[in-house]
Amino acid sequence: MTYHPKSDFVAVMMERGFLADCTDYQGLDEALMQGVKPAYIGFDATAKSLHVGSLIQIMMLRWFQKTGHQPITLMGGGTTKVGDPSFRADERPLLTEAQIDDNIAGIKKVFSAYIDYDSDASNKALMLNNAEWLDGLNYLEFLRDIGRHFSVNRMLAFESVKSRLDREQSLSFLEFNYMILQAYDFLELNRRYGCVLQMGGSDQWGNIVNGIDLTRRVLDNSIYGLTSPLLTTSDGKKMGKSQDGAVWLNPEMRSPYEFWQFWRNTTDADVGRFLKLYTELPVDECERLGALAGSEINDAKITLANEVTKLLHGAEAAATAEATAREVFEKGGIGGDLPTFTLQASDLNLMPGKMLDAPEADPEEMYCSAASLFLEAKLAKTGKDAKRLISENGALINDRPVKKEFPFIGATELSRPTKLSAGKKRHALIQLTS
């Protein structure tokens, strides 16, 4: 569809590639031209941190505020107790209230890096928890007042539910209620705060449409829905995943250096698109950088890594990460910002060299298995992975390949900070204490 937006927010969403669909482009555009409007995105508390897969939604809220409107981050303290079944093959594990509260506390740390909750401006962001209105619901009243507006036939037709049933995978009544509760969130936010827009990933389209329909039926108010594309990398991988698991946003779960390195390792074809979505560089500059080729694209990747890391962790962390990367990759040194694992000698199965029956072993030295170190440093998931890494010459200790015929390291070398490398891109430090 060709639509020429009037409002700054819709223009940014279209120009930078955030838009997958909208329930009413013109209606939303005109509403945003009538002064400060609130919009929300909901985040269920299923883990202690959000990961990179949620960053596109966080950036949408940031742009919403930067273009003069009021973002609402809605914590799913209530809906997390049910679990979103959208496009899942099985039911989410149920969490206790204490676990949910702990997860919310971890998730909240991220948002203040992107969104202003403290200013006196009319578009100061709000952080809310849907447990505020969901926890106290009276079941019979809710069925009578809200449930009567939902058609089971229509709910079964939504792709997120239909795909699960088509595969003959169980969908519990608990999960089936999720879309009603999420729709009720939109109703409550419209009633309490005048919220006119819900945003989310394209997998949330059915839930968003339900909320719009319910609010129009109960309050007869005009509200809107907008979704972003579900991103995959150009090689088909789900955004937010890396070789060693989810790319978490909280620094205690993924260090600023590791976060920076994730973006530095972006494939060439994704650089321009990611610059538009995850940085605030002008669109023309994003396109220029994304079009670079050969060795020059590496400079664009460094720009991407720096700009994204600045937004989350600050300029100093980004500069430190880049300096560490240059030291590690260009000079072969030990970067001070690498993920570090401190081990006690008792954590390692040390054995005397005289027991190894190997000519290179010093009989008086104590040795440990190199494979066990790569496991401790989370550079291999299993002992089998570690041994394969060694057999393929991908395991390095202090920039020297681990010998297949002697895959051990002496305790004397481990008494100093020791750099482990799995291939060219993943590194860690091991420090041994007595």
Side-chain angles (χ1 to χ4, degrees), residues 414-427:
L414 285 173
S415 65
R416 299 179 295 275
T418 302
K419 184 174 81 171
L420 306 183
S421 303
K424 296 180 179 180
K425 296 180 178 179
R426 295 189 297 137
H427 309 270

Side-chain angles (χ1 to χ4, degrees), residues 66-286:
K66 285 177 70 71
T67 54
H69 299 285
Q70 182 180 41
I72 298 173
T73 46
L74 182 65
M75 297 289 99
T79 43
T80 304
K81 296 170 185 174
V82 175
D84 185 358
S86 298
F87 300 99
R88 286 182 60 87
D90 53 9
E91 188 172 354
R92 292 182 186 273
L94 295 179
L95 303 178
T96 65
E97 282 203 39
Q99 288 173 315
I100 292 171
D101 290 343
D102 191 35
N103 288 348
I104 287 175
I107 290 171
K108 282 181 176 179
K109 295 177 185 177
V110 169
F111 287 110
S112 58
Y114 294 92
I115 301 164
D116 182 8
Y117 296 92
D118 300 320
S119 73
D120 295 325
S122 59
N123 67 332
K124 177 177 76 171
L126 298 176
M127 182 169 288
L128 306 173
N129 187 332
N130 63 14
E132 180 183 340
W133 50 82
L134 295 181
D135 279 2
L137 287 176
N138 178 291
Y139 186 60
L140 290 178
E141 287 183 3
F142 186 73
L143 286 178
R144 184 192 64 202
D145 297 339
I146 302 300
R148 66 189 178 89
H149 295 294
F150 288 84
S151 161
V152 171
N153 308 62
R154 186 164 178 261
M155 292 166 71
L156 289 172
F158 281 114
E159 187 59 33
S160 59
V161 172
K162 187 174 180 293
S163 61
R164 180 101 156 249
L165 299 179
D166 286 347
R167 295 192 300 267
E168 297 185 355
Q169 292 164 329
S170 174
L171 179 71
S172 72
F173 180 68
L174 178 69
E175 294 175 285
F176 194 57
N177 277 271
Y178 184 90
M179 66 177 72
I180 300 178
L181 296 177
Q182 185 168 327
Y184 186 69
D185 282 343
F186 204 170
L187 170 65
E188 281 296 317
L189 288 170
N190 182 255
R191 179 156 44 200
R192 296 176 181 218
Y193 301 96
C195 183
V196 299
L197 173 65
Q198 182 184 358
M199 299 183 286
S202 57
D203 61 335
Q204 295 298 313
W205 180 255
N207 292 330
I208 291 172
V209 170
N210 270 334
I212 292 171
D213 186 56
L214 176 64
T215 304
R216 286 176 176 167
R217 287 171 181 267
V218 175
L219 300 178
D220 195 28
N221 288 339
S222 294
I223 57 175
Y224 309 93
L226 182 152
T227 59
S228 63
L230 287 182
L231 283 187
T232 57
T233 57
S234 58
D235 53 4
K237 293 178 182 176
K238 188 175 181 180
M239 191 62 185
K241 300 289 185 181
S242 69
Q243 192 169 1
D244 56 345
V247 182
W248 302 107
L249 301 182
N250 286 37
E252 61 270 19
M253 295 178 69
R254 170 76 59 157
S255 73
Y257 171 79
E258 292 172 295
F259 182 78
W260 187 95
Q261 194 64 47
F262 170 79
W263 296 99
R264 170 61 181 82
N265 292 337
T266 296
T267 57
D268 295 3
D270 290 324
V271 172
R273 181 169 58 127
F274 287 179
L275 282 164
K276 289 180 188 177
L277 291 171
Y278 298 113
T279 81
E280 295 177 342
L281 293 177
V283 170
D284 289 349
E285 177 67 359
C286 295

